[in-house]
Amino acid sequence: MENRLTVSSSPHIRGRETISDTMLDVVLALMPAAFASVYFFGQRALAVILVSVVSCVGFEALYELIARKKVTIKDYSAVVTGMLMAYTLPVTIPYPMIIIGAFVAIVITKQLFGGLGQNFMNPALIGRAFLLAAFPVHMTTWALDRVNVFGAADAITGATPLSTEYTGTMPSAFEAFFGQMKDGGAIGGCLGETCAAALLLGGIYLLARRVINLRIPLAYIVTVAVMSYIPGKNPALQGHPLLAVLSGGVMLGAIFMATDYATSPTTRWGQLIYGVGCGAVTSVIRLFGGYPEGVTYAILLMNVLTPLLDRWTRPRVFGEVKNK
Amino acid sequence: MPKLTFKGGVHPKDNKDYTCYDKIVELEQPEFLVFPLSQHIGAPCEPLVKKGDRVYKGTKIADSAAFVSAPIHSSVSGTVTAIEPRPVPNGQMVNSIVIQNDFSDEEDPSVEPLDYKSVKPDDIPGIVRDAGVVGMGGATFPTHVKLSPAPDKKIDTVIVNGAECEPYLTSDHRVMLETPEELITGLKIILYRFGITNGHIAIEENKADAIELLTEKCAGEGITVDTLKKKYPQGGEKQLIYAVTKRKVPLGGLPADVGVVVVNVDTCTAIARRFMYGTPLIRRIVTLVGGAVTKPINYRVRIGTPVEYIIEKNGGFAEEPKKVIMGGPMMGQAQFRLDVPIIKGSSAILCLTEKEAELPEEEPCFRCGRCVAHCPMGLMPLYISQFSRLEDYDNCEKYNITACIECGCCSFECPAKRHLVQDIRRGKQEVMGRIKARQTAQKEGK
């Protein structure tokens, strides 16, 4: 019977939590924003999310089958990418473009670099950035009311409040928090980003489940709030820290995008610097850049810095500095 | 009183209920006992007996001239039947003395009680060495070495490590409950050796009865009983010292560098028994536990008793074990075979069923950073294990691989179930070898 004993290296017990548990937590945390998007933008929002998720999962499985790798769609990471990318798209985006975005996100950004954890930039954001560069008009058309599944062409559209072309009344912080103007119209923006309340709810869940910690989101949000006092190209926004934080993609970015494990630092100080960096770059683009919003590029830029931040902020080894 | 603790660590299910309520049971002696000549850290012993020699309970049967080493004593009376390589718990074959028990339990004439106050403090380490006492928490570092720090290291605190943070293990807990006098005497002997009074007994909060009992027994003795937070690896030497004294043992240093000596509970009672009854280290408490065990229990076992004999006396296995571990589930060693003997550092025999032993499949690291957040040593296991796999030993060293205490927190916490400790352990051995080679080269260069 001796030779039936398993011999392996310690530890011989492991914690219960797995990658798919973590990813499922993120999916759950993204749910409130999904409901909010359907509430504000109609059935087409749901269709956009579904197309995005199905094509992300599909590309992941397809690539792994062709590359003869283990199919890992059960870890839900492609579901998260699909949801996140959908949240950064306008509700009126043509469906084929979503599929192209999913291909760029999953195949080019994630799988070609080695799959889960090996990508050095956020797949959902690269998908969005690609679409923004390829289809700038479709990507910046913002519906202000609910849209039917096949009614994209008839949607009432307008600019986002962050844009200098915005002509409507500025939403109050309260309106921006819930994502709806007093007259009942939606605030122009991407699917998942307009309702800060829904994102915050998800964020609290992730914090409670210890999937994320406060360092990155808080550093990000505080930096954007502080930098809102700097005069920039859009005087209507200057000195409104709450509005700066609650409008556009900051909440979505700070809670769900910047905290992506694979592309953010693992050390305490690294996470803080990274959060501040994301906030600063976002603000600089908003204040002086050519785009109304800067979350996507801010996070992508900081993604690239992540390995360096980890190296520069190695924690002090216990006992490294001698006691007095 | 606030519960003392350290930064990092994990919370595995402690599984101590199986054995922590029942009294220690004296295990019958087997007919054949095996005494490996190396059951401690340091130089292996040379046998002092030969085949056919008559030995008694407490007879010194092996010793070494080296300072970092400890003699070995026969735990029964009988005859030496062989001196030959035998399997030991770490998987190696080690030259061992085999003794056939005559069951008379006759004591060696050298076994004589000694009043510790009648000897000079500086003579205590020698007596402790002669009794074969080593760290019984598992590391088996010879205790007299701890009691003989370099002259420039002033010891001002002695801590008895009653954390017992490994899941399943309850031997220290039972010892604290059943022989508190031995424990306190042992601590007093160590304090006497250093001429100090600052003694601590540090116990994890999940052993409330032991804390209560020892607090009561220590009243008026000047010994502090500390309550530690229940967290693994609370009993790690550096973590324990930090929790109790807030001092950090410098990287690559020893507890003596911060004026502290730490001893395990059973080690402390072993020192006491040498003086109180004259007996050297010939027995230890072993927790027999796990889903495959018929009757989970703490046994008082003669050192040298084969593991298979203990299991047989327990009524055999309840279920076929998939994995048998010497020690706890976090740091213990999985066994190839069950004819290995109980040695000085064997704190437990943990027999896991197929279900309990099941390890999940390794998945890719997705950089969640939990290993960094939970590492009690402040290391970055995700990078170090990667460097080790890539055989990039320069970076292993740069990321302080040698500071790893192999506690297993990173592997335990990893959602991707990566074998972080295994990778790091391999890299650590390589780096230690390189450092040693460099030092030798440097010496020769001079």
Side-chain angles (χ1 to χ4, degrees):
Chain A
M1 77 138 266
E2 265 86 11
N3 41 24
R4 271 182 246 152
L5 288 176
T6 306
V7 177
S8 66
S9 176
S10 67
H12 305 286
I13 49 171
R14 299 297 174 90
R16 272 199 219 108
E17 194 157 325
T18 61
I19 293 181
S20 46
D21 292 341
T22 308
M23 291 297 173
L24 214 49
D25 271 341
V26 180
V27 171
L28 275 177
L30 283 167
M31 280 307 183
F35 290 125
S37 71
V38 176
Y39 174 77
F40 294 126
F41 299 114
Q43 303 154 359
R44 199 171 197 280
L46 185 64
V48 169
I49 296 173
L50 285 179
V51 170
S52 179
V53 169
V54 170
S55 29
C56 279
V57 174
F59 279 127
E60 178 129 305
L62 197 66
Y63 178 89
E64 286 171 334
L65 282 174
I66 293 171
R68 292 168 192 252
K69 289 166 70 173
K70 196 181 138 203
V71 176
T72 59
I73 54 172
K74 277 192 193 156
D75 67 17
Y76 295 101
S77 63
V79 177
V80 171
T81 303
M83 288 179 89
L84 284 175
M85 190 179 77
Y87 286 11
T88 67
L89 304 174
V91 66
T92 50
I93 183 134
Y95 298 121
M97 293 183 190
I98 306 176
I99 300 173
I100 295 171
F103 177 81
V104 173
I106 293 293
V107 178
I108 296 184
T109 318
K110 181 178 174 188
Q111 289 297 345
L112 287 184
F113 282 91
L116 183 68
Q118 303 301 310
N119 51 292
F120 64 96
M121 288 202 266
N122 189 315
L125 287 178
I126 290 284
R128 172 188 151 79
F130 180 86
L131 292 178
L132 192 61
F135 312 107
V137 177
H138 290 97
M139 284 293 288
T140 50
T141 305
W142 312 111
L144 298 179
D145 206 345
R146 294 179 194 164
V147 183
N148 289 327
V149 177
F150 296 107
D154 313 323
I156 311 159
T157 57
T160 146
L162 288 173
S163 162
T164 43
E165 284 151 35
Y166 185 71
T167 49
T169 35
M170 269 293 160
S172 66
F174 183 80
E175 286 163 333
F177 183 66
F178 289 104
Q180 191 168 33
M181 299 299 281
K182 255 184 247 138
D183 59 11
I187 296 174
C190 303
L191 273 195
E193 69 182 24
T194 53
C195 182
L199 295 168
L200 213 56
L201 204 63
I204 291 169
Y205 175 77
L206 289 185
L207 283 172
R209 297 277 298 152
R210 295 186 176 210
V211 171
I212 60 170
N213 64 61
L214 259 180
R215 284 186 282 275
I216 292 173
L218 202 65
Y220 195 152
I221 289 167
V222 167
T223 307
V224 170
V226 169
M227 288 183 70
S228 72
Y229 289 97
I230 300 172
K233 63 176 188 256
N234 197 342
L237 288 169
Q238 195 200 332
H240 294 288
L242 273 177
L243 199 60
V245 166
L246 294 173
S247 47
V250 170
M251 294 303 268
L252 179 64
I255 296 171
F256 291 99
M257 300 282 192
T259 53
D260 169 44
Y261 287 150
T263 56
S264 64
T266 57
T267 65
R268 284 157 186 266
W269 282 103
Q271 289 171 348
L272 275 174
I273 297 169
Y274 172 89
V276 170
C278 285
V281 179
T282 301
S283 302
V284 166
I285 294 175
R286 278 183 176 186
L287 293 167
F288 312 112
Y291 293 100
E293 177 58 305
V295 172
T296 304
Y297 296 115
I299 296 176
L300 288 176
L301 189 74
M302 294 310 290
N303 283 170
V304 181
L305 279 181
T306 290
L308 288 177
L309 286 175
D310 256 0
R311 198 182 307 164
W312 291 334
T313 60
R314 253 167 40 207
R316 180 176 297 167
V317 176
F318 185 87
E320 199 166 22
V321 172
K322 276 205 169 186
N323 253 42
K324 280 172 245 161
Chain B
M1 200 174 145
K3 287 162 197 160
L4 308 169
T5 194
F6 61 96
K7 252 189 221 157
V10 296
H11 295 94
K13 189 170 182 290
D14 75 3
N15 280 317
K16 292 183 190 272
D17 298 5
Y18 298 111
T19 49
C20 73
Y21 303 114
D22 300 318
K23 279 204 159 163
I24 299 169
V25 170
E26 182 83 39
L27 185 78
E28 295 158 59
Q29 301 174 22
E31 189 181 353
F32 287 97
L33 295 96
V34 179
F35 299 87
L37 291 172
S38 179
Q39 31 184 301
H40 47 255
I41 288 180
C45 290
E46 291 299 324
L48 303 174
V49 290
K50 53 188 192 303
K51 195 176 162 184
D53 278 2
R54 175 96 171 87
V55 294
Y56 302 94
K57 183 170 117 185
T59 305
K60 196 191 279 184
I61 53 174
D63 203 349
S64 160
F67 176 62
V68 184
S69 186
I72 294 157
H73 301 77
S74 174
S75 59
V76 294
S77 86
T79 318
V80 177
T81 57
I83 299 177
E84 61 190 22
R86 287 290 184 108
V88 297
N90 70 8
Q92 292 177 322
M93 297 292 280
V94 168
N95 213 20
S96 306
I97 299 172
V98 184
I99 290 173
Q100 184 172 19
N101 196 348
D102 65 11
F103 296 98
S104 71
D105 224 14
E106 207 172 319
E107 257 179 13
D108 194 81
S110 69
V111 174
E112 274 295 326
L114 182 64
D115 179 9
Y116 71 88
K117 283 179 185 145
S118 69
V119 297
K120 283 203 291 273
D122 282 348
D123 292 339
I124 300 264
I127 298 167
V128 168
R129 182 193 193 282
D130 222 37
V133 180
V134 301
M136 290 165 79
T140 63
F141 189 72
T143 304
H144 68 273
V145 181
K146 283 187 181 182
L147 299 184
S148 323
D152 58 322
K153 310 277 187 236
K154 181 88 190 84
I155 302 297
D156 59 23
T157 307
V158 177
I159 306 171
V160 176
N161 185 353
E164 199 162 52
C165 55
E166 274 267 14
Y168 290 101
L169 270 54
T170 58
S171 58
D172 289 346
H173 184 187
R174 290 312 305 176
V175 168
M176 290 190 281
L177 284 176
E178 294 180 31
T179 52
E181 288 80 12
E182 286 182 10
L183 184 72
I184 293 166
T185 306
L187 176 53
K188 279 197 208 157
I189 294 168
I190 303 171
L191 290 170
Y192 173 76
R193 185 267 170 271
F194 293 111
I196 56 175
T197 53
N198 190 14
H200 290 260
I201 302 174
I203 307 170
E204 257 190 18
E205 58 189 321
N206 57 353
K207 293 174 266 291
D209 47 357
I211 295 172
E212 198 181 324
L213 179 76
L214 282 166
T215 308
E216 189 192 308
K217 296 269 179 195
C218 289
E221 302 275 10
I223 293 168
T224 316
V225 177
D226 301 296
T227 306
L228 304 166
K229 206 171 151 191
K230 177 181 169 289
K231 188 164 77 167
Y232 178 87
Q234 186 66 75
E237 200 166 51
K238 293 175 177 186
Q239 283 65 37
L240 182 76
I241 292 171
Y242 180 75
V244 174
T245 65
K246 296 286 168 281
R247 297 178 198 169
K248 289 182 181 175
V249 177
L251 205 58
L254 291 170
D257 293 333
V258 290
V260 181
V261 165
V262 178
V263 288
N264 166 266
V265 164
D266 217 11
T267 313
C268 194
T269 60
I271 294 172
R273 281 193 305 277
R274 163 61 190 91
F275 288 92
M276 290 163 82
Y277 319 117
T279 43
L281 178 54
I282 54 167
R283 71 104 190 99
R284 67 157 299 134
I285 313 295
V286 178
T287 308
L288 176 62
V289 67
V293 166
T294 304
K295 189 183 178 312
I297 198 166
N298 274 299
Y299 279 127
R300 182 173 285 111
V301 179
R302 301 292 170 107
I303 284 168
T305 304
V307 167
E308 56 192 359
Y309 173 84
I310 301 175
I311 286 158
E312 185 197 312
K313 284 288 156 190
N314 192 258
F317 285 116
E319 188 182 320
E320 193 181 326
K322 187 71 188 166
K323 195 186 250 181
V324 174
I325 299 158
M326 290 286 244
M330 293 299 285
M331 288 189 76
Q333 283 170 327
Q335 298 300 305
F336 292 88
R337 47 203 290 182
L338 300 180
D339 52 354
V340 295
I342 291 294
I343 57 172
K344 292 174 181 177
S346 316
S347 52
I349 306 167
L350 176 58
C351 308
L352 300 179
T353 60
E354 179 141 24
K355 197 164 157 263
E356 289 171 323
E358 203 172 32
L359 282 184
E361 210 180 313
E362 204 173 26
E363 287 182 84
C365 169
F366 67 144
R367 295 177 35 89
C368 66
R370 263 167 249 203
C371 52
V372 180
H374 289 273
C375 178
M377 294 305 292
L379 301 173
M380 301 182 86
L382 79 164
Y383 289 114
I384 304 179
S385 66
Q386 195 70 7
F387 291 140
S388 170
R389 277 192 191 195
L390 297 170
E391 302 187 4
D392 178 355
Y393 298 117
D394 289 334
N395 263 319
C396 280
E397 202 176 332
K398 213 162 112 194
Y399 278 69
N400 288 305
I401 194 169
T402 53
C404 173
I405 57 171
E406 303 177 24
C407 63
C409 287
C410 51
S411 299
F412 180 83
E413 201 62 29
C414 180
K417 314 296 168 194
R418 298 191 66 76
H419 305 311
L420 297 164
V421 179
Q422 185 177 333
D423 294 334
I424 295 171
R425 191 178 279 142
R426 213 182 42 229
K428 188 175 152 185
Q429 270 163 11
E430 180 70 31
V431 170
M432 300 257 245
R434 284 159 58 116
I435 293 174
K436 215 169 187 179
R438 219 161 44 216
Q439 282 167 346
T440 325
Q442 224 167 30
K443 256 184 221 161
E444 281 167 3
K446 277 176 190 171

